[in-house]
């Protein structure tokens, strides 16, 4: 039972209208510079053939007319019927492809890739195009193979909980399909309304509940992949345990479409939680955030499904841009806030565990204030304060976003050091080059998202911030991309963060699976550097 | 609350002495035939150099004398000081190596492999030598590199729960190290007292609680691996999320030492459960076993940590061989028994969930009788009835063991079909070629262990049973090895259960990582068959 003083601290917030952020596709921006202009170091490789009318004629024998978008010479880029497929979600990368293909079967994908491989035509696989590293759009004129029209749930087994789906099935669609069966997708991320399972697998998507449900290397049981030469690798095992030889599917998880094109996914799905509780607390230091996290693992253990944190500046940004009319549920100003979620099978048990945890948190002076959501609407509202941070930043101006991981104790030090670094140079603050530098993320995964608005946007401004963040992460044994992937955005830093032996193994695997290099070129693996 | 009639059904068993089965190393048997005699199709490859005195002299410059076992010409095999390292745990495979090396550092492993690679000397990595597929012992005269002396826990981070260990650390030793820190190894298997983490990783060990804690592809965060040419792949990341390029460590998980030698493991460890409950129920059909399993997932969800089943014959075997003086806790004769375990953080919550589940199971006539363990001794006793099955079979005679996975509804049909098949041929029963054919396993993972005693043991008797079991599994889209691995025992069936493209990709990866083929030859990947 909560003591009365703590009961007061855990005020019940009043219901308010709110919607969980379902990221929608950003409109094509004519301002988006061409990737090759922004990155003049990238040169179109002459090994790739330029698309000819005869090539399109071949694809017309494979696909019906409504599954081909072809627009060879648009007067302006935004007039192209392919505009949405050439530009990434963040409007940061733009290619100039004139052909986007929409296969409806694995066999069609196989015929497309075989032709491209035979004719040395470069290909970029595309799912929901919600990636934030420029991995799913062409750099130059690569043919786009979009998986949206392969969107069938092939099977679901209610005893094992294994779902087999086409790569183009949208995450949220699968989750809704599983809901009445009492199961759920073991993956949740902001883009769930648009992102596709094939893209999730190809980018090894992490998201909000990885700490509870594990990563895709553990949850994907089988894959169907079309290799670069059109060979179909039938590996859609639904077995939870299978040790017959090398686990080939693992290579394609997180390969960002550079080793083959994922067309089908067998996924282990857990039982859907019957009870969800969400609490938010205010904390005075990042030290306290960590203590609250360790205590949550102790007290909530098997029902803890998320532990998110953000800084005070993040609150101001969401309030200013998106939630002007909603009272922030925590009283007073605190350096940090944490949102923790439980998912379990028995409501009263979960509530008791959560109450006892919060009581301990208050009694040990770790948390200064806190609230518990009383119904589903409040759950969504509390989540909104966390989930609307990126969108609020994008509304406030041109926003740069980073996704790094490191030891938990160092997590927020990067933000502090960045503020100091750019502050001392007089570059940070209202009206200056950078503003609204803030940090938030998944404590449980050691995963920080650091964002900043950049005024008077130029490539150098982004490059300078990139350099600071990436070098800081590398220096502290962190990862320059925890979950977003390398794509085109971080390929220039791969020589700094991977050893020569790691890079040479990646190149060797690439050569085995895609000897002609047609699959998503220019990305993930860098050109050989001088050090090699 | 349990109703009184059900209370009666759930009798409390009385405490009895019992010990959880910790598999110990079987003594070397002089009867064990040489692998190359048993499998005449295996020929020593002439590409490998035969060990010379000068080679041993080199290793003497790398290792101290007490870390080298060298016995070139023993008068009889059992006199060799290497006997225990040449024979596998089940006394099924025996090689004739005259050299076993015990490196104490990664650098030593690197120098050993570089020399072997330069001189075309074949190598077999060996951990606790508890494998059951002959993967960890030489087939001919391969040099054994035993990891027992690299056995230090390198670090543990209490915030993230990540442990970094030498490959030779014994599973149970790590678990005991983690216990006072409130964490546990997310892996439990019969051989825990002897098996080593490096071997667990190399065989992708599954075990009893995979359904709860996930597999090693999800739980291993980083690996340190010495490649065939002695290159050290430093990939001991402790990051929970890291998407910088291909996830190279995945290739070595389950590769059975054929791609490199794992020397260090970074493992994500969950909070240790504060409460463990175990129940055993009797069921009239395998249909009911499945229903009980689905209901357990519904009611126990996040706290369900194991769901094991066995048939009636298994009980008789354990009773006869190992637990004569212990009353079987379930009354009456039932076709099947299931053991289910919960692990959670709050004892009274877990107990309530388990009681309610069992009540529902009784009321819906799924279970006919059942018991709940009242203390830790009873927990161990209930587990013993499941865990002592393999050892009882081994005591009863020469025992063959299989490890297959398939769709859960088919799981026991394999045993029924095997009984019918060999029964109709007059080969099954007391005094006949096969006796005591029985089945048990991990329902949650679709993983069946089928065992039989074979009287008048001969290679053909084993080969006939192999053929029936493996062909049945392949025909029903199952796996011929769920968790035990291919090793030498199943390599002859790989052409039947893997496609040409899968095998050619495995060979290509092998060629990239071990171009001279010195790492654990003859195993996992078969010679090219005629079909290729």
């Amino acid at each position: 039972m909560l003591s009365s003083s703590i009961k007061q601290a855990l005020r019940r917030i009043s219901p308010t209208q709110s919607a969980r952020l379902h990221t929608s596709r950003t409109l094509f921006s004519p301002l988006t510079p061409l990737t090759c202009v922004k990155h003049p170091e990238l040169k179109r490789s002459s090994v790739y053939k330029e698309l000819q009318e005869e090539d399109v004629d071949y694809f017309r024998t494979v696909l019906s007319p409504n599954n081909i978008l072809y627009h060879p010479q648009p007067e302006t880029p935004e007039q192209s019927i392919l505009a949405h497929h050439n530009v990434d979600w963040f409007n940061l990368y733009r290619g100039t492809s004139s052909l986007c293909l929409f296969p409806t079967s694995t066999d069609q994908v196989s015929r497309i890739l075989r032709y491209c491989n035979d004719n040395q035509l470069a290909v970029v696989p595309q799912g929901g195009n919600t990636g934030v590293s420029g991995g799913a759009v062409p750099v130059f004129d690569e043919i786009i193979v979009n998986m949206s029209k392969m969107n069938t749930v092939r099977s679901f087994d209610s005893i094992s909980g294994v779902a087999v789906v086409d790569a183009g099935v949208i995450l949220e669609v699968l989750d809704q399909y599983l809901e009445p069966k009492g199961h759920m997708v073991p993956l949740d991320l902001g883009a769930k309304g648009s992102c596709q399972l094939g893209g999730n697998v190809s980018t090894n998507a992490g998201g909000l509940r990885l700490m509870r449900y594990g990563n895709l290397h553990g949850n994907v049981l089988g894959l169907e992949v079309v290799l670069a030469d059109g060979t179909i690798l039938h590996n859609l095992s639904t077995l939870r345990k299978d040790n017959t030889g090398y686990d080939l599917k693992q290579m394609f998880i997180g390969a960002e479409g550079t080793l083959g094109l994922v067309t089908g996914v067998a996924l282990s799905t857990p039982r859907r939680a019957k009870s969800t509780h969400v609490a938010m607390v205010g904390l005075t230091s990042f030290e306290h955030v960590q203590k609250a996290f360790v205590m949550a693992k102790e007290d909530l253990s098997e029902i803890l499904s998320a532990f998110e944190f953000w800084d005070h500046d993040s609150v101001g940004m969401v309030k200013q841009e998106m939630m002007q009319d909603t009272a922030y549920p925590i009283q007073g100003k605190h350096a940090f806030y944490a949102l923790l979620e439980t998912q379990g099978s028995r409501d009263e048990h979960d509530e008791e565990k959560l109450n006892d945890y919060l009581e301990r948190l208050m009694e040990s002076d770790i948390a200064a204030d806190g609230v518990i959501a009383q119904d589903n609407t409040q759950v969504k509202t509390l989540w909104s304060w966390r989930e609307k941070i990126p969108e609020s930043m994008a509304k406030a101006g041109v926003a740069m976003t980073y996704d790094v991981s490191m030891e938990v104790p160092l997590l927020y030090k990067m933000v502090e050091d960045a503020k100091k670094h750019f502050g001392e140079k007089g570059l940070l603050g209202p009206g200056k080059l950078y503003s609204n530098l803030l940090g938030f993320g998944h404590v449980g995964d050691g995963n920080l998202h650091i964002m900043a608005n950049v005024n008077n946007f130029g490539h150098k401004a982004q490059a300078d911030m990139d350099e600071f963040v990436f070098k800081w992460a590398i220096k502290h044994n962190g990862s320059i991309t925890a979950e977003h992937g390398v794509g085109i955005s971080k390929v220039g830093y791969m020589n700094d963060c991977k050893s020569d032996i790691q890079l040479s193994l990646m190149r060797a695997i690439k050569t085995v699976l895609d000897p002609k290099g047609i699959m998503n070129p220019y990305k993930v693996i860098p050109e050989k550097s001088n050090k090699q």
Side-chain angles (χ1 to χ4, degrees), chain A residues 278-411:
Chain A
V278 171
M280 190 195 286
V281 293
L283 305 130
T284 54
S285 69
F286 192 70
E287 187 75 24
H288 279 187
V289 174
Q290 292 176 66
K291 283 185 182 164
F293 170 61
V294 170
M295 285 165 67
K297 289 210 295 178
E298 285 167 5
D299 292 2
L300 304 172
S301 300
E302 69 275 8
I303 61 167
L304 184 64
S305 55
F307 195 106
E308 300 286 307
F309 89 101
W310 55 95
D311 58 16
H312 190 77
D313 290 341
S314 297
V315 178
M317 185 52 55
V318 175
K319 183 95 188 149
Q320 172 188 307
E321 299 294 333
M322 296 187 72
M323 291 179 62
Q324 298 90 340
D325 302 330
T326 310
Y328 193 62
I330 303 280
Q331 289 183 327
K333 182 181 170 179
H334 307 278
F336 295 97
Y337 302 92
L339 179 149
L340 51 125
E341 184 192 74
T342 66
Q343 292 195 329
S345 59
R346 185 80 74 101
D347 196 58
E348 67 273 23
H349 290 172
D350 298 356
E351 191 173 359
E352 194 182 338
K353 287 190 184 89
L354 182 59
N355 281 339
D356 290 352
Y357 162 71
L358 291 168
E359 191 166 351
R360 188 158 83 100
L361 210 57
M362 298 282 171
E363 280 174 355
S364 51
D365 286 330
I366 303 293
D369 188 25
V371 295
I372 306 180
Q374 292 301 293
D375 57 33
N376 209 27
T377 306
Q378 292 185 355
V379 164
K380 287 178 179 169
T381 304
L382 292 191
W383 265 113
S384 291
W385 289 102
R386 159 65 185 85
E387 290 195 302
K388 285 188 193 295
I389 300 170
E391 201 171 341
S392 298
M393 286 293 288
K395 280 180 188 274
V398 177
M400 295 178 299
T401 184
Y402 298 93
D403 155 57
V404 290
S405 66
M406 62 201 82
E407 272 184 68
V408 177
L410 291 174
L411 213 53

Side-chain angles (χ1 to χ4, degrees), chain A residues 512-530:
Chain A
V512 163
L513 284 156
D514 179 20
K516 292 185 168 185
I518 66 160
M519 295 304 300
N520 218 2
Y522 316 109
K523 293 161 186 164
V524 183
I525 303 178
E527 295 288 308
K528 288 196 183 187
S529 75
N530 291 336

Side-chain angles (χ1 to χ4, degrees), chain A residues 118-178:
Chain A
D118 289 346
N119 292 278
Q120 200 72 37
L121 286 157
V123 168
V124 52
Q126 188 171 76
N129 196 8
T130 61
V132 295
S133 302
V137 290
V139 179
F140 298 100
D141 58 345
E142 301 94 281
I143 294 170
I144 303 163
V145 179
N146 185 293
M147 299 302 289
S148 305
K149 295 194 179 182
M150 279 185 69
N151 55 12
T152 304
V153 177
R154 298 190 194 175
S155 67
F156 175 72
D157 182 285
S158 60
I159 296 176
S160 65
V162 179
V164 181
V165 302
D166 282 350
V169 169
I170 288 172
L171 195 159
E172 193 169 47
V173 170
L174 177 59
D175 200 56
Q176 286 165 352
Y177 169 91
L178 292 172

